[in-house]
């Protein structure tokens, strides 16, 4: 059964769906975030914007955990970049930074809400409890990190996209198309 998941050069559909689902949620969260903080109190989205933002943020966290577990379980595909080459190292560093920043932004978001003592409501479905109350200075620090960290993450995402396009158009390898689901590439 394991052999059917990720074999040779093909990525399994679960790997692909998790990748694009996470990518989409990160982008939605970023643009929703910068839009919602400028809404005024009388806007109908004043409460609904953060309601969706927090719900999607927790769903993203769940997908990241799922992806992390899947990385261990799935059969590894043949690497397209020569192991140990500068490109393979840079790619590993980029993946680490993307994940690291995304986790930190989610965590600071969680503490920005729960640091005031309230839980994080996830689509009126369940609520994550507050773990600790935080002082004003720490809340300010987390708020700043959440905001500037999100812009930094967008910079990383842009570089990640540029690297994928370079592989496709200049190196003409299958790094991008196998993540798009092409079989036998
Ligand atoms: C990768 C995931 C996330 C991204 C990219 C993201 C991005 C953003 C951005 C860009 C802003 C606007 C910041 C500003 O301009 O001041 C924002 C605000 C906010 N985010 Fe997130 N966010 C994420 C996850 C979360 C999560 C998981 C939560 C809570 C559980 C959360 C809670 C909030 C709150 C409460 C605000 C409003 C802050 C304010 O009113 O100043 N975010 N987010």
């Amino acid at each position: 059964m394991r052999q059917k998941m990720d074999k040779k050069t093909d990525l399994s559909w679960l790997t692909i769906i998790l990748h694009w689902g996470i990518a989409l949620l990160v982008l939605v969260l970023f643009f929703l975030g910068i839009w919602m903080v400028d809404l005024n109190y009388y806007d109908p989205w004043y409460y609904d914007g953060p309601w969706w933002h927090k719900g999607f943020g927790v769903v993203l966290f769940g997908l990241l955990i799922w992806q992390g577990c899947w990385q261990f379980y799935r059969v590894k595909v043949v690497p397209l970049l020569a192991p140990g080459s500068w490109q393979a190292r840079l790619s590993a560093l980029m993946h680490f930074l993307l994940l690291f920043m995304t986790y930190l932004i989610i965590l600071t978001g969680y503490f920005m809400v729960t640091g005031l003592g309230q839980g994080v409501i996830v689509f009126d479905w369940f609520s994550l409890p507050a773990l600790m109350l935080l002082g004003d200075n720490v809340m300010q620090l987390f708020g700043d990190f959440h905001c500037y960290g999100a812009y930094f993450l967008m910079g990383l995402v842009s570089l990640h996209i540029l690297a994928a396009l370079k592989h496709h158009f200049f190196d003409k390898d299958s790094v991008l198309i196998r993540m798009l689901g092409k079989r036998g590439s």
Side-chain angles (χ1 to χ4, degrees), residues 25-27 29-37 50 53-58 60-61 101-103 105-113 120 128 143 146-148 150-151 153-154:
L25 273 183
V26 168
L27 291 178
L29 279 159
F30 176 75
F31 289 109
L32 182 58
I34 50 173
W35 175 70
M36 72 184 192
V37 289
H53 188 81
K54 291 178 227 171
F56 280 145
V58 175
L60 172 65
F61 182 67
M101 284 307 295
T102 310
Y103 273 115
I105 291 165
I106 293 174
L107 275 182
T108 49
Y110 166 81
F111 281 115
M112 278 156 71
V113 179
V120 177
L128 294 180
H146 192 80
C147 182
Y148 297 120
Y151 279 94
L153 179 62
M154 286 306 111

Side-chain angles (χ1 to χ4, degrees), residues 11-156:
L11 293 170
S12 69
W13 287 111
L14 182 56
T15 304
I16 293 168
I17 289 167
L18 282 172
H19 174 270
W20 292 113
I22 287 168
L24 181 69
L25 273 183
V26 168
L27 291 178
V28 167
L29 279 159
F30 176 75
F31 289 109
L32 182 58
I34 50 173
W35 175 70
M36 72 184 192
V37 289
D38 281 338
L39 296 176
N40 75 53
Y41 181 77
Y42 299 100
D43 193 295
W45 278 89
Y46 185 78
Y47 287 111
D48 286 353
W51 186 84
W52 284 100
H53 188 81
K54 291 178 227 171
F56 280 145
V58 175
V59 170
L60 172 65
F61 182 67
L63 288 185
L64 284 170
I65 299 287
W66 189 1
Q67 190 195 46
C69 298
W70 180 237
Q71 294 289 351
F72 280 107
Y73 182 72
R74 74 191 177 106
V75 174
K76 295 282 179 293
V77 286
V78 177
L80 292 173
L81 305 173
S85 64
W86 68 268
Q87 283 197 330
R89 282 165 200 248
L90 202 60
S91 158
L93 176 68
M94 177 56 93
H95 288 145
F96 169 77
L97 283 176
L98 282 168
L99 277 178
F100 186 67
M101 284 307 295
T102 310
Y103 273 115
L104 282 186
I105 291 165
I106 293 174
L107 275 182
T108 49
Y110 166 81
F111 281 115
M112 278 156 71
V113 179
T114 57
L116 295 169
Q118 66 193 65
V120 177
I121 294 164
V122 184
F123 300 133
D124 293 338
W125 179 27
F126 64 93
S127 170
L128 294 180
L131 290 178
M132 62 182 109
L133 288 176
L134 298 173
D136 288 349
N137 288 346
V138 182
M139 289 291 280
Q140 179 69 44
L141 193 71
F142 282 5
D144 287 348
F145 186 93
H146 192 80
C147 182
Y148 297 120
Y151 279 94
F152 180 65
L153 179 62
M154 286 306 111
L156 293 175

